[in-house]
Amino acid sequence: MKIVHLSPSILAGAPGMLADAQREILGHDASHVRVGDAGAHRDLMSPNSLQLTDCPQDQEIFTDLLNQAEVIHVHNFLPPLLRRWAAAVPDVFDRRWVYQVHSPSHERPLFGDLSADHGLPWHAKLAVCHAHPRMFPDFTPVPNVLHRPFITHTNRAKAPSDGPLRVVHSPSTRSQGRWSAKGDELFEVELQRLHADPRVALQTLEGVSPRRVAMTRQFSHVSIDEVITGGFHLVSYEGLAAGTVVINGADELSMAAFAMGFRTAERPPWLITDSAGVHQQLLALATDRSRLADLMQAGHEYFWRVMAAERVVGFFDEIYA
């Protein structure tokens, strides 16, 4: 199957990872094209993603991809440049068009349904199964697909016998949107308390490559996702995959969306709290190493049984059919 993913930005690498998994696991001819987020660091988020600009050669590349496409999968919205180029492709509206919403930070949709604005015959409409389905109740919840060559079953963290609890905080953005915020004033105060606590070794990673983040997780014990909005993000996937305990603030609506997207009744072994509870949760883990080891093992096993790309990437084939 020939699949082309289109997005306005890198979207934390999610469309590119899906394309990579479809190509490398299922054998499809899948690619990802974006317009924004130029630069080497953004390319590291998704090395096989192609960033296009408004020039004749890039239009030729794009047209060739769409000429062959059976499925055109749009993430968040179709940028005007690509929409204009697509309109010139013969029979382009006869393909299977799929619309999917992700967490926005600086782009649309700000949790409004823009699918009708495109004037396209959508074969399916999807929402990432985090906080999103509550805003898009008519969309099909789907998981993100975490697929990177350096994230493997054997590359995992080890439970400590002594020393401080190693904690990783890796916010991808500093957005303060209602559904995309990664921190608030109280959370920042809690982070300062953790930095001053000798029982905890907190490392905040920003502006580094996904490989660097993954390697850091392998030598850590806990990953903090956001605890502000009631949702969760790719950090919660990455933390479990690496064998760290994951702390997030997923509420019951997000947990229900997770269950639908991942097609499971088994809840992930996350520690769920809010900004005020982060310090307490970490100190409890620092003082109970047996529980820490059990949670690390449970999370690692859960990810590779329930959330691994090999299990979930085929869901999209069913949606495209």
Side-chain angles (χ1 to χ4, degrees), residues 281-299:
Q281 290 279 6
L282 291 174
L283 293 186
L285 291 174
T287 56
D288 189 344
R289 297 304 170 100
S290 176
R291 178 170 175 258
L292 172 63
D294 288 347
L295 285 171
M296 291 174 70
Q297 180 67 23

Side-chain angles (χ1 to χ4, degrees), residues 69-262:
E70 300 168 67
V71 175
I72 303 171
H73 190 146
V74 175
H75 299 262
N76 268 4
F77 71 97
L78 185 62
L81 175 65
L82 301 187
R83 186 173 181 176
R84 175 163 46 90
W85 287 351
V89 176
D91 303 319
V92 73
F93 297 117
D94 295 336
R95 320 300 170 82
R96 278 165 284 173
W97 286 81
V98 174
Y99 178 67
Q100 180 174 342
V101 291
H102 296 253
S103 293
S105 56
H106 57 276
E107 64 184 39
R108 299 176 299 166
L110 294 176
F111 294 103
D113 182 0
L114 299 181
S115 59
D117 296 354
H118 291 75
L120 292 167
W122 300 111
H123 177 76
K125 295 193 288 186
L126 316 176
V128 174
C129 62
H130 302 175
H132 307 60
R134 74 190 73 191
M135 275 73 73
F136 303 95
D138 298 328
F139 286 32
T140 299
V142 293
N144 275 322
V145 177
L146 180 63
H147 181 66
R148 298 193 187 278
F150 44 82
I151 295 179
T152 69
H153 188 273
T154 55
N155 291 338
R156 58 171 300 184
K158 297 178 177 61
S161 57
D162 54 20
L165 184 72
R166 295 181 182 177
V167 180
V168 182
H169 177 230
S170 55
S172 58
T173 71
R174 286 290 178 175
S175 168
Q176 292 301 310
R178 168 63 182 89
W179 296 106
S180 56
K182 303 295 175 68
D184 60 11
E185 185 175 347
L186 178 56
F187 182 71
E188 295 301 322
V189 170
E190 289 299 301
L191 288 185
Q192 293 304 314
R193 290 180 63 198
L194 290 170
H195 278 297
D197 193 324
R199 294 165 292 184
V200 177
L202 174 64
Q203 187 168 6
T204 297
L205 299 177
E206 294 183 89
V208 300
S209 72
R211 186 178 184 92
R212 174 65 183 179
V213 175
M215 290 295 295
T216 303
R217 290 198 203 287
Q218 290 173 36
F219 292 89
S220 302
H221 312 126
V222 181
S223 297
I224 302 177
D225 199 347
E226 63 98 346
V227 294
I228 310 302
T229 69
F232 59 93
H233 304 272
L234 274 167
V235 168
S236 290
Y237 295 55
E238 296 167 357
L240 293 187
T244 64
V245 176
V246 169
I247 294 177
N248 67 31
D251 61 22
E252 286 303 312
L253 289 176
S254 290
M255 295 299 285
F258 178 98
M260 289 186 287
F262 279 95

Side-chain angles (χ1 to χ4, degrees), residues 6-59:
L6 308 177
S7 70
S9 66
I10 201 72
L11 289 173
M17 288 193 292
L18 174 55
D20 289 348
Q22 290 172 325
R23 188 174 58 254
E24 295 166 9
I25 296 173
L26 299 179
H28 296 319
D29 184 353
S31 55
H32 172 227
V33 169
R34 72 185 195 274
V35 172
D37 278 348
H41 173 65
R42 308 310 289 172
D43 286 339
L44 287 173
M45 297 292 291
S46 186
N48 296 317
S49 172
L50 183 63
Q51 194 253 332
L52 298 182
T53 59
D54 190 0
C55 69
Q57 185 178 52
D58 282 4
Q59 182 176 5

